Amino acid sequence: MPEPQDRSDAGPQREPDAVARRIIEAAGDIFLSYGFDAASTEAIAANAGVPHGSLEERFASKAELFKAAAIGLIEQRVVSVEAWARDGEMPCGDACECLHAIALAVLQVMMTPDVMALDRIVTAKAPRFPEFARAIQEFCDNRLLPLVENCLREGVRRGELAVPDLRFAAEHFLSAVVCAPLHRAVLGLDRGESSQTKRENLRRSLDLFLSGCERRPA
């Protein structure tokens, strides 16, 4: 299978069929085990239990398949965070309590060995395939930012916060409170599991963020 020209942006994306979903799941395992370059589409097809031709019919390139596998892997984690928020498991207290719960939930599901391994592959291949990083960033923005925006919006409605630009504030929250510790773990500068020090640092980061959002007396 030819590797470059990723044609995934050429038109509307179809919902993957059952075979495509098997291929995507199998591809995730192979990419995480061998990396992008060493992973072969033959091994992915074998792992999925499908003919190689079935893979070629559904994915224009290995790059397109990797992007689908990466987003699929992250979606499995994000869905649980969305479910907590939708089912009311997120605390309904003040904005600080809600944002703290969101940060903990996102870090818990993202700082797993497979997601961090995926992040390393994307970072290494971003110069060659910038669409990898762009697609994952857009996916996370579309799924995670609304959770933070809703929390901030409620804080504004209750008079706790003054946030003129909810999207900008949500982006800053994820960048400062979530992405910073996640990137340290991905780089191997910190261990992925939680600790008392990390929980304290998370709370301090959140307090600093909220200090810029609190409503001041007129």
Side-chain angles (χ1 to χ4, degrees):
M1 171 183 288
E3 183 176 304
Q5 299 309 323
D6 180 7
R7 302 199 306 262
S8 58
D9 294 327
Q13 300 299 297
R14 295 179 300 174
E15 185 70 21
D17 57 27
V19 173
R21 287 193 293 269
R22 284 169 55 192
I23 293 171
I24 290 170
E25 184 176 347
D29 294 338
I30 296 297
F31 283 124
L32 290 177
S33 296
Y34 299 101
F36 180 83
D37 290 328
S40 69
T41 54
E42 289 78 12
I44 292 170
N47 193 36
V50 301
H52 191 264
S54 295
L55 188 151
E56 291 182 314
E57 290 172 359
R58 290 166 173 81
F59 299 95
S61 66
K62 188 167 78 169
E64 181 181 315
L65 179 53
F66 175 82
K67 188 161 63 174
I71 291 177
L73 179 66
I74 295 176
E75 182 169 24
Q76 292 173 10
R77 309 304 191 271
V78 171
V79 163
S80 65
V81 180
E82 292 175 324
W84 294 341
R86 182 179 62 249
D87 298 338
E89 295 185 35
M90 291 292 186
C92 55
D94 59 18
C96 179
E97 188 179 4
C98 180
L99 290 172
H100 187 254
I102 291 174
L104 284 176
V106 173
L107 286 172
Q108 181 179 349
V109 300
M110 300 299 279
M111 292 179 71
T112 55
D114 52 358
V115 174
M116 290 194 293
L118 173 67
D119 197 311
R120 295 184 185 105
I121 296 174
V122 171
T123 300
K125 292 301 174 185
R128 182 180 176 193
F129 298 110
E131 65 271 15
F132 289 174
R134 184 167 55 250
I136 292 174
Q137 182 67 49
E138 290 175 354
F139 175 84
C140 291
D141 285 351
N142 291 335
R143 301 291 286 272
L144 294 178
L145 284 176
L147 299 179
V148 182
E149 288 183 73
N150 288 340
C151 181
L152 294 172
R153 186 177 293 108
E154 278 300 297
V156 172
R157 185 186 65 80
R158 291 193 297 260
E160 301 166 9
L161 306 176
V163 183
D165 189 334
L166 292 174
R167 176 51 62 104
F168 178 81
E171 290 173 345
H172 184 72
F173 170 81
L174 288 179
S175 177
V177 180
V178 174
C179 293
L182 176 59
H183 288 166
R184 283 185 61 83
V186 168
L187 292 172
L189 301 176
D190 206 348
R191 296 175 66 87
E193 62 269 15
S194 180
S195 67
Q196 182 62 32
T197 299
K198 288 180 183 177
R199 289 190 291 271
E200 290 175 356
N201 287 340
L202 174 61
R203 177 63 71 174
R204 291 173 62 193
S205 296
L206 178 56
D207 289 344
L208 185 61
F209 169 79
L210 286 173
S211 69
C213 299
E214 292 175 348
R215 183 177 293 278
R216 304 293 197 275

